[in-house]
Amino acid sequence: MTVILPDSVSLAHAPIPTNDSEQLLFRQLFQTLVWLDCQGNVRPGAAVAWSPDSVRRVWAFTLRSSSLRSAPSTEPASEIVSGWQHRPADLRALGVESATAEGEDLLSVRLGVPIEPVPRRFADPALALSRELDSSSIQLLDDGVLSRTPSGLVHYRIEPGADPRDLLDRGADLMVSRDPALVEYANGKPAIVTFALPWSRTYVLLQPAGAEPVPASAARDAVKGDVRRAEPPFWWEERGSECVRTVPSSVPASARVVYLRGDEAARGLAERIVALAASDEGLRTAALGASEFSSALAGGGERAYIIALPRQTLAPCRDSAGWPSGATLHPLIDTRAYALVRRGAPSLAVEWDGTLRLHPERPEDQQ
């Protein structure tokens, strides 16, 4: 199977992706203890069974036994503990106090507070298991990654800048895209099936405390692709008090509406907001690189920010950690991607956040 990744990919970002291509690739290469299907049901991942103590603060996970592990292989409990120790911030964000190996295939995890009857938070990508990419099951190639799975070989070809229509014509079996022109082109190919994935991003207008209001335009015609007006529920409205920042931000002095460079949807929204503002306000747009944007957001010195947020999250405190204190969020639009799949490709599943899983387990493998 050939999977085309049309965005740039850096394995240094793993396991937390920065774009659709990294999300698709990392989800296949870096396994979590459990995963969630599109209805939010917990499915076995590296763990085949789990059980809590009486107050649901300590969870015991039984890993796939060494004799039953399939490529890419899962890790024994001690290696999971070792890998997690290098990510203390992620553990805190997900409420994990400690993890202990109780044996080769038994992992015990203590949480700060009790959780729901099912361990949904352990599907978060931040808790993915570390794995060497030069193992027998995963090889780095000049143009991408080759993965050996129980169903055969999967070649992930990284093709930023290439014409995706040419890639489809040259035999791509799977591609995820938000480009409406590519989806329309694929619909004209009898060998290709296209289907919409769940709404996965919500674009918001964030304004720091004390900033003069700007027009919060949710005009869908300002953005190319499959777009709808942002629909509740919004996870940031349900955050607990533990997520509130105590560090004050600066008083906004800029007249800029800033967005992340390369995000065309954010650019379109920023330009529409500036166009709707009164001419004497002097608003202007500005595209910032990733590090510059993060610093500007944390400082809160800009008039407004256009941000793409995940529609769903398992760690709301982590995903809101970079916001200035007292900021106001105005939901604008939701967007989603499409899957372009060649007929006859192996089975696929859709996960809780709209990510495709290439090789879902068989029903007899489920808990």
Side-chain angles (χ1 to χ4, degrees):
M1 185 177 186
T2 298
V3 179
I4 298 298
L5 305 176
D7 307 307
S8 61
V9 172
S10 172
L11 294 174
H13 295 154
I16 304 298
T18 62
N19 57 44
D20 287 332
S21 291
E22 289 185 346
Q23 182 159 316
L24 178 60
L25 177 64
F26 294 172
R27 195 62 57 88
Q28 318 310 318
L29 300 186
F30 302 97
Q31 193 174 28
T32 48
L33 293 173
V34 299
W35 64 280
L36 306 178
D37 64 21
C38 61
Q39 296 180 326
N41 300 313
V42 178
R43 305 284 185 153
V48 293
W50 46 86
S51 61
D53 65 359
S54 59
V55 295
R56 300 199 302 275
R57 279 194 60 190
V58 178
W59 286 77
F61 292 91
T62 301
L63 307 180
R64 297 185 188 275
S65 67
S66 302
S67 60
L68 296 177
R69 288 180 187 140
S70 57
S73 63
T74 56
E75 298 175 309
S78 59
E79 294 184 23
I80 294 176
V81 172
S82 176
W84 281 4
Q85 288 175 344
H86 297 291
R87 291 179 244 164
D90 292 327
L91 297 182
R92 286 194 301 271
L94 289 159
V96 176
E97 287 189 344
S98 64
T100 307
E102 304 291 350
E104 181 181 359
D105 297 318
L106 185 62
L107 178 70
S108 176
V109 183
R110 175 177 289 276
L111 303 174
V113 296
I115 62 172
E116 63 275 7
V118 290
R120 298 181 74 253
R121 70 180 60 188
F122 292 97
D124 190 279
L127 295 182
L129 315 186
S130 60
R131 179 179 298 121
E132 295 296 330
L133 292 179
D134 59 353
S135 67
S136 60
S137 62
I138 303 172
Q139 294 180 357
L140 301 183
L141 305 177
D142 291 339
D143 65 345
V145 177
L146 184 68
S147 175
R148 290 172 171 80
T149 75
S151 303
L153 296 177
V154 181
H155 183 191
Y156 301 92
R157 284 173 43 197
I158 304 172
E159 299 277 3
D163 189 326
R165 296 170 298 181
D166 293 340
L167 299 174
L168 272 183
D169 292 340
R170 295 206 301 265
D173 296 308
L174 171 64
M175 190 183 309
V176 173
S177 178
R178 297 176 187 266
D179 182 354
L182 176 61
V183 175
E184 182 179 1
Y185 180 78
N187 283 334
K189 298 287 182 180
I192 302 296
V193 177
T194 65
F195 61 92
L197 296 172
W199 300 100
S200 56
R201 291 181 188 169
T202 298
Y203 282 84
V204 303
L205 170 71
L206 183 149
Q207 287 204 266
E212 289 294 324
V214 299
S217 172
R220 290 177 293 175
D221 61 352
V223 176
K224 294 180 180 180
D226 208 352
V227 177
R228 71 177 184 186
R229 182 178 292 274
E231 295 184 3
F234 303 119
W235 56 262
W236 54 88
E237 296 179 346
E238 302 171 0
R239 292 178 302 157
S241 59
E242 69 276 7
C243 294
V244 177
R245 288 191 57 188
T246 57
V247 178
S249 59
S250 60
V251 177
S254 165
R256 302 193 304 179
V257 178
V258 301
Y259 60 92
L260 189 63
R261 182 177 295 117
D263 189 330
E264 291 302 305
R267 180 183 64 82
L269 291 168
E271 291 177 348
R272 177 59 60 88
I273 287 170
V274 169
L276 292 175
S279 58
D280 59 356
E281 288 196 45
L283 280 184
R284 65 184 189 279
T285 65
L288 305 180
S291 60
E292 187 182 6
F293 184 87
S294 296
S295 298
L297 179 59
E302 305 292 347
R303 182 75 169 274
Y305 305 79
I306 304 297
I307 308 175
L309 299 177
R311 253 310 281 166
Q312 300 187 66
T313 180
L314 298 174
C317 291
R318 178 197 62 207
D319 288 339
S320 61
W323 301 351
S325 178
T328 301
L329 273 69
H330 303 279
L332 300 177
I333 60 171
D334 294 330
T335 68
R336 63 182 175 184
Y338 274 74
L340 287 59
V341 186
R342 188 168 300 277
R343 296 183 186 276
S347 61
L348 302 169
V350 180
E351 295 199 32
W352 62 284
D353 58 354
T355 307
L356 285 175
R357 176 172 286 263
L358 271 61
H359 299 280
E361 77 281 357
R362 301 183 301 267
E364 59 267 28
D365 294 333
Q366 300 177 7
Q367 186 187 40

